[in-house]
Amino acid sequence: MKRALALALALGVRDAAAEPRQVAHWLRYVAVDYPGAVRQGQVIQQEEFDEQLALLDRSLQELRAAGDREVLYKRVQELRALVEARGPEAEVGARARGLADALLLGEGLVVPAGVSLERGKAIFARACASCHGEDGSGDTALGRTLRPRPADLQDPVLAEQRSPLGVALAVEWGIPGTAMVPRSDLSPGERWDVAFHVLSLGREGAKRPAGGPDLSLQELAWMSNQELRGLVLAVGAPRAEAERWMDGYRLALPGGAASAASQGRWALREARLLAPWDRAASAAAVGRALTATASLRREGGALPGALAALTPQASAEQLAEVELALLRASQPRQAHPDLERWWLLPPALLMLLWLLRWWRR
Ligand code: HEC
């Protein structure tokens, strides 16, 4: 167990106010790191495993103090039991993330327009690279002296579970008992810049990143790589193209306002996450989805049918189906012009030369 955290728990030290964002951060941390602690029912990293249980205990303490979150409290208890029983990685991850998201929805975490990967890279070099290295691998002189070592931000297993939101929260709250301390010197906007940059690590050299329906910044911020890949495959990306689409989503961020379809999807996602514990809030979110997609319902095609069948009492599965229908009906995202079209140039020039010669004959 990480020492400071162990101490805090032993002494019963608690922060003054229950902070939903902080609890959500711990739950997300469990979601990301559990596969590094338990694999196929076996503890492979005892320290990590103990830390996860401690974070869940601490979350329960906070939720109990908050008082008004009984259903959530019970679900976190169930999650703790599942972790203690060394349950399946996928299930722990999905449950922990679902709980965290439900907590975060009430927090109004809106990603500001104009998030910049370029700024994020500069912030990373200044504020993170001393430990994590410019490439995120964590192999630095300072990093080697730390226990635990800085996370390898390129590790493919951990990267699957990572999202810009998760990184932004890690930067805001730090990771208890490690050298990764909260960074109140960075503004919320800077935290988003650097978080999106972290998700682009290891992809920078990608050729022709592009493809896929347009997703809003907000959607991209909340989705882990795993979720994003699942969605890319669900809308029918050929397997060979899926990674190229992923590169596109992480390297070329959308600039403009969110489309009607994407606003609708976002509201449906809220409805789906809230459905298990707050029917009224979930129903209100369905209402917002219907308002946001009013223009789409007037057009023809399969989508209006799916939307018309939507009711405030829809189950999580039904909501997910309509989300997918909205995604399928979305405009393809605007490819990054420099990255997408340059390869057309050489064949186009060759064609022109060939035509010129043909005319001269
Ligand atoms: C003083 C060294 C140090 C600095 C500076 C630092 N980190 Fe960390 N970071 C760590 C350590 C150590 C861990 C590992 C914690 C663990 O193993 O539980 C970590 C973990 C993380 C994680 C969690 C990895 C995961 O599992 O998802 C993220 C994300 C992260 N750091 C991002 C950043 C970003 C972004 C910055 C700059 C704003 C930064 N770090 C600055 C030391 C540092």
Side-chain angles (χ1 to χ4, degrees), residues 10 41 52 54 75 89 140 142 159 177 193 195 208 215 234 265 283 285 302 318 331-332 341 347:
Q52 311 233 315
R75 293 287 150 84
E89 293 98 282
T140 61
L142 178 54
D193 291 337
R208 302 201 288 118
L215 296 175
R265 283 197 304 268
Q318 287 166 321
Q331 297 298 318
R341 309 243 182 266

Coordinates of all heavy atoms in Angstrom, one line a residue, residues 10 41 52 54 75 89 140 142 159 177 193 195 208 215 234 265 283 285 302 318 331-332 341 347:
A10 N -5.1 4.9 8.3 CA -4.9 4.4 9.7 C -5.4 5.5 10.7 O -6.0 5.2 11.7 CB -3.5 4.1 9.9
G41 N -7.9 -13.7 -12.2 CA -8.2 -14.2 -10.9 C -7.0 -14.3 -10.0 O -7.1 -14.7 -8.8
Q52 N -5.6 -0.5 -4.5 CA -7.0 -0.4 -5.1 C -8.0 -0.6 -4.0 O -9.0 0.2 -4.0 CB -7.1 -1.5 -6.1 CG -6.0 -1.5 -7.1 CD -6.4 -1.4 -8.5 OE1 -7.3 -2.1 -8.9 NE2 -5.7 -0.6 -9.3
A54 N -7.7 0.1 -0.9 CA -7.6 1.2 0.0 C -8.4 2.4 -0.6 O -9.1 3.1 0.0 CB -6.2 1.6 0.3
R75 N -23.4 0.4 -4.7 CA -22.7 -0.1 -5.9 C -21.2 -0.1 -5.7 O -20.5 -1.0 -6.2 CB -23.1 0.8 -7.1 CG -24.5 0.7 -7.6 CD -24.8 -0.6 -8.2 NE -26.2 -1.0 -8.0 CZ -27.2 -0.6 -8.8 NH1 -27.0 0.2 -9.8 NH2 -28.4 -0.9 -8.5
E89 N -11.2 -8.7 -15.0 CA -10.7 -7.4 -15.3 C -11.8 -6.5 -16.0 O -12.0 -5.3 -15.7 CB -9.4 -7.4 -16.2 CG -8.2 -8.0 -15.5 CD -8.0 -9.5 -15.9 OE1 -8.8 -10.3 -15.3 OE2 -7.2 -9.8 -16.7
T140 N 13.3 8.2 -17.1 CA 14.1 9.4 -16.9 C 15.0 9.2 -15.7 O 14.7 8.3 -14.8 CB 13.2 10.6 -16.7 OG1 12.4 10.4 -15.5 CG2 12.3 10.8 -17.9
L142 N 15.3 11.2 -13.2 CA 14.5 11.4 -12.0 C 13.5 10.3 -11.7 O 13.3 9.8 -10.6 CB 13.7 12.7 -12.1 CG 12.8 13.2 -11.0 CD1 13.5 13.2 -9.6 CD2 12.2 14.5 -11.3
A159 N -2.9 2.1 -21.7 CA -3.4 3.1 -22.6 C -4.8 2.8 -23.1 O -5.6 3.7 -23.3 CB -2.4 3.2 -23.8
G177 N 0.0 9.2 -2.3 CA 1.1 8.4 -1.9 C 2.2 8.2 -3.0 O 3.0 7.4 -2.9
D193 N -5.6 20.6 -22.2 CA -4.6 20.6 -23.3 C -3.6 19.4 -23.0 O -3.3 18.6 -24.0 CB -3.8 21.9 -23.3 CG -4.6 23.1 -23.7 OD1 -5.6 22.9 -24.4 OD2 -4.2 24.2 -23.3
A195 N -3.9 16.8 -21.2 CA -4.6 15.5 -21.1 C -4.8 15.0 -22.6 O -4.5 13.8 -22.8 CB -5.9 15.6 -20.4
R208 N -1.7 9.5 -42.5 CA -3.1 9.6 -43.0 C -4.1 9.3 -41.9 O -5.0 8.5 -42.1 CB -3.3 8.7 -44.2 CG -2.5 9.0 -45.3 CD -3.1 8.4 -46.6 NE -3.1 7.0 -46.7 CZ -4.2 6.2 -46.8 NH1 -5.3 6.8 -46.7 NH2 -4.1 4.9 -46.9
L215 N -17.2 13.1 -33.9 CA -17.5 13.0 -32.5 C -17.1 14.4 -31.9 O -16.2 15.0 -32.4 CB -16.6 11.9 -31.8 CG -16.8 10.5 -32.3 CD1 -15.8 9.6 -31.6 CD2 -18.3 10.1 -31.9
A234 N -18.0 -0.8 -34.1 CA -19.4 -0.9 -34.1 C -20.1 -0.2 -35.3 O -21.1 -0.6 -35.8 CB -20.0 -0.5 -32.8
R265 N -26.4 12.4 -28.8 CA -25.7 11.2 -28.3 C -25.2 11.5 -26.9 O -25.3 10.7 -26.0 CB -24.5 10.9 -29.1 CG -24.8 10.2 -30.4 CD -23.5 9.6 -31.0 NE -22.4 10.5 -31.2 CZ -22.2 11.2 -32.3 NH1 -23.0 11.0 -33.4 NH2 -21.2 12.0 -32.5
A283 N -34.6 10.4 -17.2 CA -35.7 10.8 -18.1 C -35.5 12.2 -18.6 O -35.8 12.5 -19.8 CB -37.1 10.7 -17.4
A285 N -32.7 13.7 -19.2 CA -31.7 13.6 -20.2 C -32.2 13.1 -21.5 O -31.9 13.6 -22.6 CB -30.5 12.8 -19.7
A302 N -33.8 5.7 -41.5 CA -34.1 4.8 -40.3 C -34.0 5.5 -39.0 O -34.6 5.1 -38.0 CB -33.1 3.6 -40.4
Q318 N -31.7 0.0 -24.7 CA -32.4 0.8 -25.7 C -31.7 2.1 -26.0 O -31.5 2.5 -27.2 CB -33.8 1.0 -25.4 CG -34.7 -0.2 -25.4 CD -36.0 0.0 -24.7 OE1 -36.1 0.6 -23.7 NE2 -37.1 -0.6 -25.3
Q331 N -22.5 12.7 -39.9 CA -21.6 13.1 -41.0 C -20.2 12.5 -40.7 O -19.8 12.4 -39.6 CB -21.4 14.6 -41.1 CG -22.7 15.3 -41.3 CD -23.3 15.0 -42.7 OE1 -22.5 14.9 -43.7 NE2 -24.6 14.7 -42.8
P332 N -19.5 12.1 -41.8 CA -18.1 11.7 -41.6 C -17.3 12.9 -41.0 O -17.7 14.0 -41.4 CB -17.6 11.3 -42.9 CG -18.7 11.5 -43.9 CD -19.9 12.0 -43.2
R341 N -4.8 14.4 -47.5 CA -4.8 14.4 -49.0 C -3.4 14.4 -49.6 O -3.3 14.3 -50.8 CB -5.5 15.7 -49.5 CG -6.9 15.8 -48.9 CD -8.0 15.8 -49.9 NE -9.3 16.0 -49.3 CZ -10.1 15.0 -48.9 NH1 -9.7 13.7 -49.0 NH2 -11.2 15.3 -48.3
P347 N 0.4 10.7 -57.4 CA -0.3 10.1 -58.5 C -1.0 11.1 -59.4 O -1.0 10.9 -60.6 CB -1.4 9.2 -57.8 CG -1.2 9.3 -56.3 CD 0.0 10.2 -56.1

